[in-house]
Amino acid sequence: MSAAGTIDAAWRAAHPLPGIGDGQDKEERGRALVVGGSAFVPGALRLTGEALLRAGAGKVQLATIEAAAMPLGVLFPEAAMIALPADDKGEIAGAALVRLEAAAKACGALILGPGMQCRPHTAALVEALLDAIGNDSPVLLDAGAMTAMAGREAVLRRHGGRIVMTPHHGELAALTGASKEDIARDPQAAAVDAAMRFGSIVVLKSAETWIANGAVPQRYASKAPGLGTAGSGDVLAGVIGGLLARGMDPVAAAGWGVWLHGEAGQAASAAIGPTGYLARDLLSHIPGLMDAC
């Protein structure tokens, strides 16, 4: 097992955030497309979409089931909306591809999966979108869009090096067939093995988060137990996605996203309390944390 690094001040100095020059407009800061949500979790994309903008992305499009699209667009006026067909379980249908291809080809980063469950057609939809976006733009896979790729290592490896996967222990177990107990026993090894297996950057989320890409894994230990709350992962996906949209290297974007998310948890803990703050309470802390760096 390779020696591990730490997402500390030295690491951050070696991987600086993208700068914001004078006169830079929203087009220059990147366009992100977020695909996800469902009848069961219709508001997940609000968290991911706002996190993208808080991390500095210039433009955000949210694509979700038609029943949720209009209410979400009113709740989140900064984002453009794409309404998608749903299946009989209230998840994004496979027929949604025809409404997504043009937006996928035009985006600078694709965030796929927040608020989604895996359905029989999900893997084919993910694969088609990966092909549509080509080999230049980065992709973040989360939740059901990610677990749908179990057994499809070759598909992910074909797009290797530009895909970030953000599983918690249960999702990594579903992806790899390992037990949650084995993953918890040695999360560093589990993250490294998964990164090599899928040819992707793996962010294994927990109180101790591991970022692996087949080289030296990086570790971030959270001091904010309140981050273990519904929607927290949707925020993390958006922060990483926002940095990807701004052109940051995927490994650096993953490390910075984990650090910003964890530090936002500490800021929310100080302002509200160690537990009981909401995932949306993290969002307002992200810009200040970036500015301080």
Side-chain angles (χ1 to χ4, degrees):
M1 180 59 62
S2 301
T6 303
I7 306 295
D8 56 12
W11 183 93
R12 298 194 304 278
H15 302 82
L17 287 166
I20 299 181
D22 293 338
Q24 189 179 48
D25 65 18
K26 60 187 178 184
E27 297 293 345
E28 293 175 291
R29 292 208 310 275
R31 178 197 305 248
L33 172 65
V34 189
V35 182
S38 61
F40 186 60
V41 195
L45 293 201
R46 181 253 163 149
L47 295 170
T48 304
E50 183 173 340
L52 279 152
L53 294 179
R54 298 288 190 176
K59 299 178 73 172
V60 172
Q61 291 179 303
L62 304 182
T64 192
I65 60 169
E66 192 166 9
M70 183 61 73
L72 186 58
V74 173
L75 177 66
F76 187 17
E78 296 88 351
M81 299 302 306
I82 301 174
L84 304 175
D87 66 11
D88 60 349
K89 299 294 185 182
E91 296 286 335
I92 295 171
L97 178 64
V98 296
R99 300 190 192 179
L100 290 170
E101 283 185 298
K105 290 175 181 177
C107 74
L110 172 64
I111 297 84
L112 181 53
M116 285 176 61
Q117 298 292 319
C118 178
R119 298 281 289 141
H121 57 267
T122 306
L125 177 62
V126 172
E127 184 172 354
L129 285 171
L130 290 175
D131 289 338
I133 199 173
N135 288 317
D136 295 325
S137 297
V139 178
L140 184 144
L141 295 180
D142 187 40
M146 175 180 59
T147 57
M149 303 309 288
R152 295 182 178 243
E153 292 90 342
V155 173
L156 297 180
R157 295 186 68 83
R158 190 166 72 237
H159 301 276
R162 66 188 184 92
I163 295 177
V164 178
M165 305 171 74
T166 54
H168 54 57
H169 288 188
E171 289 167 334
L172 191 63
L175 270 168
T176 64
S179 70
K180 288 177 64 175
E181 292 75 19
D182 284 344
I183 292 169
R185 192 173 298 115
D186 193 348
Q188 177 184 350
V192 170
D193 289 349
M196 296 178 65
R197 177 171 174 175
F198 293 102
S200 303
I201 297 96
V202 172
V203 178
L204 180 56
K205 302 179 294 192
S206 189
E208 181 183 70
T209 293
W210 289 93
I211 301 104
N213 71 328
V216 177
Q218 300 295 322
R219 172 183 175 271
Y220 176 82
S222 171
K223 299 176 184 176
L227 285 172
T229 189
S232 182
D234 300 323
V235 172
L236 175 62
V239 177
I240 297 173
L243 297 174
L244 292 173
R246 295 175 64 189
M248 202 168 195
D249 171 80
V251 176
W256 266 104
V258 167
W259 185 85
L260 288 165
H261 180 258
E263 297 299 306
Q266 291 189 54
S269 295
I272 299 170
T275 59
Y277 57 83
L278 306 179
R280 73 184 85 136
D281 293 322
L282 303 171
L283 296 164
S284 62
H285 296 290
I286 301 299
L289 286 164
M290 292 193 300
D291 185 60
C293 294

